[in-house]
Structure formats: C-alpha cells, structure tokens
C-alpha cells in the first residue's frame, strides 16, 4: 500500500520516543506477531507505518487525539492511492484503536497486533531507554525512592518522579493489556528484564553492587 520511504516522510517532525525509528521497531515486532497469528500482513504493515503520523501535531497542541486524526488521514491517503475501501477501513480502524488510554477498542486481529507491537516498544530494554529519554527532557532525577502512592506525572527536577516511578505506575502494567498470545510471551520477557533492571539500579544507587 505504501513503501517505507513514503511513510518516513510523515515523521520528519517527531521527537525521539515516537520518531520513525519507533515505527520501524514496531514494524519488526508486528510482522513477527502477524506471521505467528496468521494475520493480514498488508493491513498490519500499512497500519504500523501510518499509526503515529499526526503524533507531532498532537504534541504541539494541534488537532487533538492523534489516534483519531491519524486514522482519518491514513484512510484518505490510502483511498487516494487507489487502495480498496475495505482495506483502507481496516487500516483506519487499527490506527484509531492503537492508543493505551484510547476509547476505541481493537476489534480485529490486525488492530490487536498494532496495539500489542506499539505497547511492546514501551517496555523491556527499549522501554527503559525511552523512559530515560523522556525523563531527561523533563530534567527529572535519575533515581529517587518511589512513593507507594506514586502516580504518573510530568514533574520535573526536585520532585521525586523518575523513570523508576514511571515503571511502577505505568510500564509494569503494560503486559496486562496485551491481546495476542505471541505478544504476551514477548511482554513477559520484557517485563522480567525491567524488574531486574530497576532492582539492580536501586542496589547500585545504595552502593550494594
Ligand atoms: Fe501513537
Ligand atoms: Fe506508536
């Protein structure tokens, strides 16, 4: 439906946690999951390539929910390229339903695969890297005791919000939301790595290792 290079052009304004490298990581996972789950590889591929095309606009305060706006735009651009309406609709549904906090639930296998692959990119070693990239932009502390009542926040330096707190309040819960069996297995491995990573980080900070 469209090539990697054609898709890349839509991500020129993206920040490092949601740039075209993110799209390529999600694509590698989604294609692997699609093969294992016997999904429509073409729908999955187009949905992955276009799923965050309006993310930079939302981050800049324009256009509202990027899942909804990207779905509308993807559908229009696929139709303009001569893609069949049923295929364009299937891609648009997957994109509309890809958000962790979204209101549209994934109804098709292809939509579940985009959701799963996108969430897998927020956990494991890459999830830790992304959490620190965001934490650095916000000038948060590298480590602090995580309060038992910690909540997701964008608090900056001198507050106690850290990437480790982000793990407790958010990243540790991602695996519970995964739909497909193939992705769930990957999520369990990535989750276990993060548990080990943050436990070790705490011991290093305390001078125990
Ligand atoms: Fe997104
Ligand atoms: Fe994404």
């Amino acid at each position: 439906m469209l090539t990697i290079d054609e898709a890349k052009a839509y991500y020129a304004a993206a920040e490092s946690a949601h740039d075209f490298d993110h799209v390529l990581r999600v694509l590698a996972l989604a294609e692997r999951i699609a093969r294992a789950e016997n999904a429509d590889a073409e729908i999955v591929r187009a949905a992955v390539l276009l799923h965050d095309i309006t993310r930079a606009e939302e981050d800049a305060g324009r256009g509202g929910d990027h899942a909804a706006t990207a779905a509308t735009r993807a559908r229009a651009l696929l139709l303009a390229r001569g893609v069949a309406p049923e295929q364009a609709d299937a891609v648009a549904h997957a994109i509309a339903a890809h958000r962790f906090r979204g209101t549209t639930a994934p109804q098709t296998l292809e939509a579940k695969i985009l959701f799963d692959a996108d969430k897998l990119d927020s956990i494991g070693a890459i999830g830790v890297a992304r959490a620190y990239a965001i934490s650095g932009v916000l000038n948060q502390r590298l480590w602090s005791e995580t309060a038992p009542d910690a909540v997701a926040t964008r608090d900056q330096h001198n507050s106690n919000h850290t990437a480790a707190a982000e793990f407790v309040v958010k990243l540790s819960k991602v695996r519970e939301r995964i739909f497909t069996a193939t992705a769930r297995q990957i999520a369990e491995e990535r989750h276990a790595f993060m548990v080990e990573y943050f436990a070790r980080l705490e011991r290093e900070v305390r001078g125990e290792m």
Side-chain angles (χ1 to χ4, degrees), residues 51-52 55 66 98 118:
H51 81 280
D52 277 337
R55 172 89 200 201
H66 77 276
H98 87 269
D118 190 49

Side-chain angles (χ1 to χ4, degrees), residues 131-205:
Y132 278 103
I134 294 164
S135 182
V137 169
L138 297 172
N139 196 28
Q140 290 173 347
R141 296 164 71 185
L142 275 176
W143 194 86
S144 164
E145 199 88 54
T146 300
D149 58 347
V151 289
T153 161
R154 308 204 102 199
D155 281 355
Q156 308 210 350
H157 209 63
N158 295 326
S159 85
N160 289 328
H161 201 72
T162 60
E166 195 68 9
F167 169 65
V168 171
V169 301
K170 193 171 158 202
L171 303 184
S172 64
K173 302 189 168 113
V174 169
R175 66 178 172 155
E176 297 160 16
R177 296 282 307 274
I178 297 295
F179 291 97
T180 66
T182 308
R184 202 167 309 121
Q185 201 178 337
I186 302 169
E188 291 298 337
E189 287 166 10
R190 290 188 176 208
H191 178 85
F193 174 83
M194 289 192 297
V195 170
E196 191 186 335
Y197 175 83
F198 284 110
R200 175 168 176 131
L201 178 67
E202 179 167 354
R203 294 194 65 195
E204 289 188 8
V205 167

Side-chain angles (χ1 to χ4, degrees), residues 5-175:
D5 280 345
E6 286 165 341
K8 187 175 181 181
Y10 294 110
Y11 293 89
E15 40 82 38
S16 69
H18 298 97
D19 59 7
F20 198 62
D21 292 334
H22 159 66
V23 174
L24 292 177
R25 291 192 302 268
V26 175
L27 184 63
L29 282 167
E31 290 190 327
R32 174 179 162 195
I33 299 164
R35 274 194 302 274
E37 303 277 337
N38 287 316
D40 184 323
E42 264 199 279
I43 300 293
V44 168
R45 185 179 171 86
V48 169
L49 289 175
L50 296 170
H51 81 280
D52 277 337
I53 50 174
T54 54
R55 172 89 200 201
E57 290 171 29
E58 182 183 345
D59 290 345
R62 288 180 281 119
D65 176 20
H66 77 276
T69 56
T72 305
R73 199 167 305 170
R75 187 175 182 280
L77 76 89
L78 291 175
L79 290 175
R81 298 171 72 90
V83 171
E86 316 79 70
Q87 286 191 302
D89 286 345
V91 171
H93 166 66
I95 296 173
H98 87 269
R99 198 157 211 190
F100 194 65
R101 278 172 283 244
T103 47
T104 305
Q107 305 290 341
T108 62
L109 177 58
E110 290 73 23
K112 289 172 183 170
I113 290 173
L114 170 60
F115 182 97
D116 285 358
D118 190 49
K119 294 333 143 230
L120 286 175
D121 194 54
S122 68
I123 60 174
I126 191 69
V128 172
R130 281 178 68 177
Y132 278 103
I134 294 164
S135 182
V137 169
L138 297 172
N139 196 28
Q140 290 173 347
R141 296 164 71 185
L142 275 176
W143 194 86
S144 164
E145 199 88 54
T146 300
D149 58 347
V151 289
T153 161
R154 308 204 102 199
D155 281 355
Q156 308 210 350
H157 209 63
N158 295 326
S159 85
N160 289 328
H161 201 72
T162 60
E166 195 68 9
F167 169 65
V168 171
V169 301
K170 193 171 158 202
L171 303 184
S172 64
K173 302 189 168 113
V174 169
R175 66 178 172 155

